[in-house]
Amino acid sequence: MTTPTGTDVFLAILADLSREMPPRERYTRLVDGVRRHFPCDAVALLRLKDQQLRPLAVNGLSDDTLGRRFEVDEHPRLARILMSREPVRFPADSELPDPYDGLVDNLDGDIHVHDCLGVALYLDDTPWGVLTLDAMRPGVFDHLDPAELRTFLRLAEATIKIANLIDSLQARAQREQLIARTMVAEQTRLELIGRSVPMDSLRAEIDRVASSDLTVLITGETGVGKELVARRIHGHSSRHDQPLVYVNCAALPENLVESELFGHARGAFSNAVGDRAGKFELANGGTLFLDEIGELPLDAQPKLLRALQSGEIQRVGSDAYHQLDVRIIAATNRDLKKAVAAGRFRADLYHRLSVYPIEVPPLRERGRDILILAGYFLEQNRRRFGLPGLRLSADAQAALTAYPWPGNVRELEHLISRSVLRVRPPGEDAVNRVLTLHKADLGLPSDTLGETPAMAPTPLAAGSPTPTAAEGLTLREATDRFQADTVRRALSANDGNQAATARALGLDRGNFSRLLKRLGIKP
């Protein structure tokens, strides 16, 4: 039996990559093939975008690596690789910080990458990104065959070209429009981080409705990112170069709702010293985002309905009508159907707003996206505090993926920021080593309540109905019950102090107050 040569392996991988598959899977198979063939512990493929290197596929690095964004100016090794047309090798004793220190999979403690090799990837003489190989043992790459490395470099560039070609054939026009819009509006740079099936479905829904002028109703629990979805819809629409005007309906004073939305004429009321345009007029030609629409007072809803139906608004205290061209996107964490049934929200306004409903999935349904988002927030905090590196231990990763995240992505973001502050030592120690976040550093809210976080309920005996089914509860009703129980225990643990309870649950005070109101809890 003959041993496969480098050429044989190359041809086998090339044959595998030549089959039709999504670009993401093609990149994953490429890094898997590189790691199988070369003696290394980790491989990463990163794409250059907006002076950041963004991981597209990794093998041997922790999942949270995919959520990180490596600023080229802050990582001298990556910058050196990107600027060279030849492979760049870093010796084990190199003083340049390694961006992957502490990120090699299944290794805990302050273990650093010892041998590092990287190659820049170019498409049509334009830098596209980098491919990196890392090993834990020094000298691993001493006997690497340069010819084989160049062969795999060509394979990587060919793979990227194939992926780009497939991508362009599927959505060339849309991608070109997106690139142009990215140059015009800052908000289109906002990312929807995640690779789970629910997030892929969400992106598809956004892309489908963005090109139309349909009114969109975004629903989802608090902290899932409804505003980010609204901004992405606007940024991908034909109105991208026109204003996106934000209105928090929950923050509008009840006696000034009409003035804020539709404007007022001079003398309309005691403090109206001049004419003032409302949010509708400011959004003319663009998009009006009505956040927390479920909190809009019932008395103000008829006038909003008329504006949506006719496209006309009338300033308070004025007889003149203004014809406007405004797209409406609304968002709420309430169940508006129940609000309609309870008489708290107009049925005709609900149907006018929910022309195209989009539900943003809660974080607990997004699987490994939790770690990708954690990596994204870790990298933000690393740059904010000037740290050489931040990583999650195995027990921290397990705790994050097991916790149900009632506050969703916002809760995760705040938790990571607090945890980094806890592990960041005073003085100079923080700038000399990679800091590791352990489970104990996370301070998960359920820990303070004496609970063990869990994604799944305690296993039931065979044939036993679940509590939800046995009690005749829907999933949303069961979720509300869980949230109510959690909030009551948190209030008890904090002696009824609402501000302290909101902090313990990872919520801001305003959202916590609305949550109490929605759940019918009176402290």
Side-chain angles (χ1 to χ4, degrees), residues 74-200:
E74 298 177 7
H75 293 281
R77 292 200 188 205
L78 294 177
R80 185 174 296 182
I81 294 170
L82 194 60
M83 293 182 343
S84 175
R85 295 302 293 264
E86 295 295 326
V88 178
R89 170 89 179 277
F90 297 95
D93 59 354
S94 173
E95 296 182 355
L96 295 178
D98 193 301
Y100 305 142
D101 277 353
L103 296 180
V104 178
D105 219 358
N106 300 319
L107 292 173
D108 286 320
D110 295 328
I111 301 176
H112 300 282
V113 173
H114 288 290
D115 217 346
C116 176
L117 176 70
V119 290
L121 302 173
Y122 280 73
L123 293 186
D124 301 323
D125 291 326
T126 300
W128 181 91
V130 300
L131 181 70
T132 62
L133 290 73
D134 292 280
M136 300 308 299
R137 291 179 292 110
V140 166
F141 301 137
D142 287 348
H143 305 291
L144 205 61
D145 185 349
E148 287 191 14
L149 184 60
R150 282 193 291 271
T151 298
F152 271 86
L153 177 60
R154 301 287 86 78
L155 171 63
E157 291 176 341
T159 299
I160 293 165
K161 285 183 178 179
I162 292 172
N164 285 352
L165 177 61
I166 293 174
D167 192 29
S168 65
L169 290 175
Q170 291 174 339
R172 181 176 180 179
Q174 291 90 332
R175 190 177 70 255
E176 289 176 350
Q177 291 174 3
L178 176 58
I179 292 173
R181 291 165 189 165
T182 302
M183 299 296 290
V184 174
E186 174 68 20
Q187 61 221 17
T188 60
R189 298 182 60 190
L190 296 172
E191 291 183 87
L192 287 175
I193 305 291
R195 299 184 170 202
S196 61
V197 172
M199 288 304 291
D200 286 343

